[in-house]
Amino acid sequence: MPDQQTVELGSLVNTLESKGVAPDSDSLDLMARIVAKLFGVDRDEVAILKLVPKYKSLKFVIPEKLTPVGTIPLTSTTALAARTARERKAEVVNNFSSARHANVFEAVPLGRDPSELIQKIMSAPILDGARVHGVVQISRKAKSLAQAGADFTQRDLRALVSLSPTLDRFLKLCQIE
């Protein structure tokens, strides 16, 4: 994982913390761009979800367009993000398009060809100690699995997991209910 982007990510969170306010749209976009750059994906292939304990569900923080769409119940048996949060376990699914999964959020237009769906995905819990505060997901979208590029590796997954402390600090600033 490129050190410069990791430093940039930490710097952005430090700046947001020093302001003491919830991230605005520009900050959310910058966060998505930095995380995307770390994994060589587009910013609409980055998802950060915050746990809303009151509703026992996950709500999108990034992409921001998905925030008002709805939540993912932690009890969902088809949502990878819910399973990631429940089991506190990171995983790679390099054949996501053929796996049974909730796809309601994929139908929301994010400026990409609607036939380009998530083909490959990594999902990791965002933890504060043993407590889950959210989930981060990195995907590769394309029209087919063959067009989606390289598989995610265990090394990629370890890099994603290593972002948890910084992303947890970020989520604590996000006022999502």
Side-chain angles (χ1 to χ4, degrees), residues 119-120 142-150:
Q119 302 292 332
K120 302 174 184 197
K143 291 181 180 181
S144 70
L145 189 59
Q147 294 175 331

Side-chain angles (χ1 to χ4, degrees), residues 1 4 9 48 52-53 55 58 91 111 132 153 155:
M1 178 166 37
Q4 181 181 352
L9 184 68
I48 299 176
V52 183
Y55 300 110
L58 294 164
E91 69 180 291
V132 174
T153 65
R155 182 178 180 188

